[in-house]
Amino acid sequence: MATARPSTTNSRGRLTRDRVLHAAIAHADAAGLEFLTMRTLAETLEVAPMALYRHVSSKDDLIDAMVDVVFTEIGVPGGGGDWKTSMRRRAVAVRQALTRHPWAVGLLEARRRPGPANLRHHDAVIGRLRAAGFDVIETAHAYSLLDSYIYGFALTKADLPFDGSEQAGAMAGAMLSPFPANEYPNLVEFLSEHVMTPGYDYEAEFEFGLDVLLDALEQGLRPPDRIVSLR
Amino acid sequence: MATARPSTTNSRGRLTRDRVLHAAIAHADAAGLEFLTMRTLAETLEVAPMALYRHVSSKDDLIDAMVDVVFTEIGVPGGGGDWKTSMRRRAVAVRQALTRHPWAVGLLEARRRPGPANLRHHDAVIGRLRAAGFDVIETAHAYSLLDSYIYGFALTKADLPFDGSEQAGAMAGAMLSPFPANEYPNLVEFLSEHVMTPGYDYEAEFEFGLDVLLDALEQGLRPPDRIVSLR
DNA sequence: ACCTGAACACCGTTCAAGT
DNA sequence: ACCTGAACACCGTTCAAGT
């Protein structure tokens, strides 16, 4: 009682930028970005829509800020270990953040005005590769390859219309039902013999592909890891 | 005069689904998907907005159909040559389609009701890999890896806020200007020594990474190409 | 059969006003 | 200083009507 704000219109005290941001992220996580409107957001915060504009200058600004919160969650790759384990950890961290926040796929790299956490992240990844002996061009190769894979996997995963293999079957059936049977024999075989299999776990594909990439980078680019002392 | 339709309200004769589709794609190509509205589309076709609904049942249905047009453009991988060249050609075809239609990135795999061209494409790619000796699991690995890369590259590329290296410089400057100098030394070095270099061509990165992937698949998975006779 | 116009339930956001 | 309410210029789409 002593610490609670005396009496404001909305239930949880004064509106702050942080409350707006985290309510927006929670809403996008739960309902998807297309259902995040300034009006519904205001409703969940129990304020008038226009109250939000004291803390964000526009919906676009809001989304910019949401994206930077995601980059804050991702953090920067730790300095310990060789570049490969460092890049692997970083890739998994991005993947996990995108699993928590599927709406952020396609937005992390899209914003015209990247926030500080975004820039800090990219700066750290580039720095880590350079410190391991990658020259500028090799860094570009490695970064492009890894990020394309990570974002692309998240994209196809986010778009994948099913979660588990039970739903996969129904979904695949619904997808194919408007078409003549045996029109797409290879697709049907693939879905029935793999995707609809009980043990199927698309998420496991991510780390498989990631290791293929890291191994390929190790072989094709500069082989030896130089000094590893990023403190 | 003889072949022209006598007198309808809009300039180019009767409205057809094809005209709606291609006008929509042209508009999205030129202005971006967020500027494609049923109302502006109707305007360019010189009809009332509601006239469109005779040919598409909703905006979502319109976008579904647009996506399938893109898959029609992509086509199916040709049967000739080994799987590697076949998959390479296919990847480049997808890349080119996404260059022409950047709005389609993130939509190609997203639609709940994939169209016939979409399914035919996937069926053909899976069939090509299976015919080359990939088992179902290896096919899943290869497909996931390649598609993640292709879509991810398109995503980061589409989001890249600059086209050539001249604009890159201005853009990078604008991105970093709100922050203290030397806050992101690695990023600054990377941008100034690589991205802002005259010869810089991010598009070339695509085929570099693609070949890394194809080589890795060749080594890591089933080595020999089996019989190649997909007629 | 094909197209139109008015209307409805939404958006993001501006502006003037409240406390 | 912080929040509200009415209003504006948009959306996609329903419905009844025109020819």
Tab-separated table of all heavy atoms in Angstrom, chain A residues 159-185:
chain	number	residue	atom	x	y	z
A	159	ASP	N	6.205	-19.992	-40.589
A	159	ASP	CA	5.135	-20.133	-41.557
A	159	ASP	C	4.558	-21.521	-41.575
A	159	ASP	O	3.468	-21.745	-42.089
A	159	ASP	CB	5.677	-19.815	-42.956
A	159	ASP	CG	6.144	-18.391	-43.032
A	159	ASP	OD1	5.803	-17.610	-42.137
A	159	ASP	OD2	6.843	-18.058	-43.985
A	160	LEU	N	5.320	-22.456	-41.028
A	160	LEU	CA	4.862	-23.838	-41.029
A	160	LEU	C	3.539	-23.920	-40.283
A	160	LEU	O	3.445	-23.527	-39.130
A	160	LEU	CB	5.909	-24.721	-40.343
A	160	LEU	CG	6.157	-26.059	-41.038
A	160	LEU	CD1	6.674	-25.836	-42.441
A	160	LEU	CD2	7.116	-26.898	-40.249
A	161	PRO	N	2.535	-24.436	-40.938
A	161	PRO	CA	1.193	-24.340	-40.370
A	161	PRO	C	0.903	-25.353	-39.273
A	161	PRO	O	-0.204	-25.445	-38.826
A	161	PRO	CB	0.293	-24.583	-41.598
A	161	PRO	CG	1.134	-25.355	-42.551
A	161	PRO	CD	2.569	-25.069	-42.241
A	162	PHE	N	1.887	-26.083	-38.814
A	162	PHE	CA	1.593	-27.043	-37.757
A	162	PHE	C	2.679	-27.039	-36.688
A	162	PHE	O	3.807	-26.641	-36.923
A	162	PHE	CB	1.445	-28.446	-38.308
A	162	PHE	CG	2.421	-28.751	-39.414
A	162	PHE	CD1	3.718	-29.113	-39.143
A	162	PHE	CD2	2.011	-28.662	-40.737
A	162	PHE	CE1	4.607	-29.399	-40.166
A	162	PHE	CE2	2.905	-28.940	-41.764
A	162	PHE	CZ	4.205	-29.304	-41.480
A	163	ASP	N	2.302	-27.494	-35.512
A	163	ASP	CA	3.237	-27.518	-34.387
A	163	ASP	C	3.784	-28.910	-34.138
A	163	ASP	O	4.976	-29.123	-34.063
A	163	ASP	CB	2.534	-27.022	-33.120
A	163	ASP	CG	2.451	-25.514	-33.107
A	163	ASP	OD1	2.275	-24.939	-34.185
A	163	ASP	OD2	2.584	-24.931	-32.023
A	164	GLY	N	2.893	-29.852	-33.955
A	164	GLY	CA	3.330	-31.222	-33.705
A	164	GLY	C	2.931	-32.091	-34.875
A	164	GLY	O	2.321	-31.614	-35.829
A	165	SER	N	3.272	-33.337	-34.787
A	165	SER	CA	3.012	-34.200	-35.931
A	165	SER	C	1.533	-34.584	-36.042
A	165	SER	O	1.083	-34.993	-37.106
A	165	SER	CB	3.879	-35.453	-35.844
A	165	SER	OG	3.737	-36.057	-34.574
A	166	GLU	N	0.789	-34.469	-34.933
A	166	GLU	CA	-0.648	-34.780	-35.027
A	166	GLU	C	-1.324	-33.745	-35.932
A	166	GLU	O	-2.013	-34.073	-36.885
A	166	GLU	CB	-1.321	-34.749	-33.660
A	166	GLU	CG	-0.587	-35.514	-32.565
A	166	GLU	CD	0.414	-34.638	-31.852
A	166	GLU	OE1	0.234	-33.420	-31.870
A	166	GLU	OE2	1.392	-35.185	-31.309
A	167	GLN	N	-1.089	-32.490	-35.576
A	167	GLN	CA	-1.672	-31.418	-36.377
A	167	GLN	C	-1.113	-31.420	-37.793
A	167	GLN	O	-1.785	-31.030	-38.728
A	167	GLN	CB	-1.404	-30.062	-35.725
A	167	GLN	CG	-2.195	-29.848	-34.450
A	167	GLN	CD	-1.656	-28.702	-33.629
A	167	GLN	OE1	-0.944	-27.851	-34.137
A	167	GLN	NE2	-2.015	-28.674	-32.353
A	168	ALA	N	0.127	-31.875	-37.913
A	168	ALA	CA	0.752	-31.898	-39.227
A	168	ALA	C	-0.067	-32.728	-40.203
A	168	ALA	O	-0.277	-32.337	-41.348
A	168	ALA	CB	2.172	-32.469	-39.122
A	169	GLY	N	-0.537	-33.869	-39.721
A	169	GLY	CA	-1.319	-34.739	-40.586
A	169	GLY	C	-2.590	-34.075	-41.071
A	169	GLY	O	-2.865	-34.036	-42.276
A	170	ALA	N	-3.326	-33.520	-40.138
A	170	ALA	CA	-4.582	-32.863	-40.502
A	170	ALA	C	-4.325	-31.705	-41.459
A	170	ALA	O	-5.031	-31.528	-42.454
A	170	ALA	CB	-5.279	-32.362	-39.238
A	171	MET	N	-3.267	-30.949	-41.130
A	171	MET	CA	-2.948	-29.775	-41.940
A	171	MET	C	-2.557	-30.180	-43.359
A	171	MET	O	-3.018	-29.584	-44.333
A	171	MET	CB	-1.783	-29.041	-41.282
A	171	MET	CG	-1.762	-27.565	-41.566
A	171	MET	SD	-3.238	-26.734	-40.909
A	171	MET	CE	-3.149	-25.214	-41.841
A	172	ALA	N	-1.691	-31.178	-43.437
A	172	ALA	CA	-1.243	-31.638	-44.748
A	172	ALA	C	-2.423	-32.148	-45.557
A	172	ALA	O	-2.541	-31.877	-46.761
A	172	ALA	CB	-0.194	-32.739	-44.579
A	173	GLY	N	-3.301	-32.868	-44.880
A	173	GLY	CA	-4.487	-33.369	-45.562
A	173	GLY	C	-5.347	-32.231	-46.102
A	173	GLY	O	-5.762	-32.239	-47.265
A	174	ALA	N	-5.542	-31.222	-45.269
A	174	ALA	CA	-6.361	-30.075	-45.679
A	174	ALA	C	-5.721	-29.328	-46.841
A	174	ALA	O	-6.393	-28.852	-47.756
A	174	ALA	CB	-6.564	-29.132	-44.496
A	175	MET	N	-4.382	-29.242	-46.793
A	175	MET	CA	-3.662	-28.544	-47.860
A	175	MET	C	-3.853	-29.230	-49.205
A	175	MET	O	-4.008	-28.580	-50.232
A	175	MET	CB	-2.173	-28.494	-47.537
A	175	MET	CG	-1.714	-27.279	-46.765
A	175	MET	SD	-0.005	-27.479	-46.172
A	175	MET	CE	0.821	-28.111	-47.629
A	176	LEU	N	-3.813	-30.556	-49.154
A	176	LEU	CA	-3.826	-31.316	-50.398
A	176	LEU	C	-5.239	-31.686	-50.852
A	176	LEU	O	-5.436	-32.046	-52.018
A	176	LEU	CB	-2.983	-32.590	-50.240
A	176	LEU	CG	-1.492	-32.348	-50.014
A	176	LEU	CD1	-0.791	-33.634	-49.620
A	176	LEU	CD2	-0.857	-31.761	-51.269
A	177	SER	N	-6.199	-31.587	-49.945
A	177	SER	CA	-7.543	-32.085	-50.248
A	177	SER	C	-8.207	-31.425	-51.465
A	177	SER	O	-8.975	-32.089	-52.168
A	177	SER	CB	-8.446	-31.946	-49.022
A	177	SER	OG	-8.543	-30.590	-48.643
A	178	PRO	N	-7.937	-30.136	-51.739
A	178	PRO	CA	-8.616	-29.555	-52.910
A	178	PRO	C	-8.118	-30.118	-54.234
A	178	PRO	O	-8.665	-29.796	-55.277
A	178	PRO	CB	-8.289	-28.059	-52.818
A	178	PRO	CG	-7.714	-27.838	-51.470
A	178	PRO	CD	-7.119	-29.132	-51.056
A	179	PHE	N	-7.072	-30.955	-54.199
A	179	PHE	CA	-6.466	-31.397	-55.447
A	179	PHE	C	-6.660	-32.895	-55.655
A	179	PHE	O	-6.863	-33.641	-54.703
A	179	PHE	CB	-4.984	-31.041	-55.455
A	179	PHE	CG	-4.738	-29.576	-55.252
A	179	PHE	CD1	-4.431	-29.077	-53.992
A	179	PHE	CD2	-4.860	-28.689	-56.312
A	179	PHE	CE1	-4.232	-27.716	-53.806
A	179	PHE	CE2	-4.656	-27.332	-56.130
A	179	PHE	CZ	-4.347	-26.851	-54.874
A	180	PRO	N	-6.590	-33.349	-56.888
A	180	PRO	CA	-6.772	-34.761	-57.200
A	180	PRO	C	-5.742	-35.618	-56.464
A	180	PRO	O	-4.593	-35.201	-56.297
A	180	PRO	CB	-6.530	-34.842	-58.716
A	180	PRO	CG	-6.611	-33.451	-59.221
A	180	PRO	CD	-6.309	-32.539	-58.085
A	181	ALA	N	-6.159	-36.776	-56.026
A	181	ALA	CA	-5.222	-37.696	-55.391
A	181	ALA	C	-4.118	-38.057	-56.379
A	181	ALA	O	-4.324	-38.077	-57.589
A	181	ALA	CB	-5.960	-38.957	-54.938
A	182	ASN	N	-2.934	-38.300	-55.857
A	182	ASN	CA	-1.782	-38.683	-56.684
A	182	ASN	C	-1.317	-37.590	-57.645
A	182	ASN	O	-0.555	-37.871	-58.556
A	182	ASN	CB	-2.080	-39.958	-57.473
A	182	ASN	CG	-1.602	-41.184	-56.695
A	182	ASN	OD1	-1.523	-41.121	-55.462
A	182	ASN	ND2	-1.269	-42.248	-57.392
A	183	GLU	N	-1.768	-36.381	-57.407
A	183	GLU	CA	-1.282	-35.277	-58.223
A	183	GLU	C	0.139	-34.908	-57.799
A	183	GLU	O	0.943	-34.484	-58.616
A	183	GLU	CB	-2.212	-34.062	-58.055
A	183	GLU	CG	-1.759	-32.808	-58.742
A	183	GLU	CD	-2.496	-32.566	-60.043
A	183	GLU	OE1	-3.724	-32.732	-60.061
A	183	GLU	OE2	-1.849	-32.197	-61.046
A	184	TYR	N	0.411	-35.054	-56.506
A	184	TYR	CA	1.722	-34.678	-55.974
A	184	TYR	C	2.318	-35.858	-55.198
A	184	TYR	O	2.437	-35.804	-53.971
A	184	TYR	CB	1.581	-33.455	-55.069
A	184	TYR	CG	0.834	-32.318	-55.725
A	184	TYR	CD1	-0.463	-31.990	-55.337
A	184	TYR	CD2	1.413	-31.575	-56.747
A	184	TYR	CE1	-1.162	-30.953	-55.936
A	184	TYR	CE2	0.728	-30.545	-57.361
A	184	TYR	CZ	-0.557	-30.239	-56.950
A	184	TYR	OH	-1.229	-29.224	-57.551
A	185	PRO	N	2.728	-36.888	-55.893
A	185	PRO	CA	3.140	-38.143	-55.232
A	185	PRO	C	4.354	-37.981	-54.326
A	185	PRO	O	4.403	-38.547	-53.236
A	185	PRO	CB	3.451	-39.071	-56.411
A	185	PRO	CG	3.699	-38.166	-57.573
A	185	PRO	CD	2.818	-36.981	-57.361
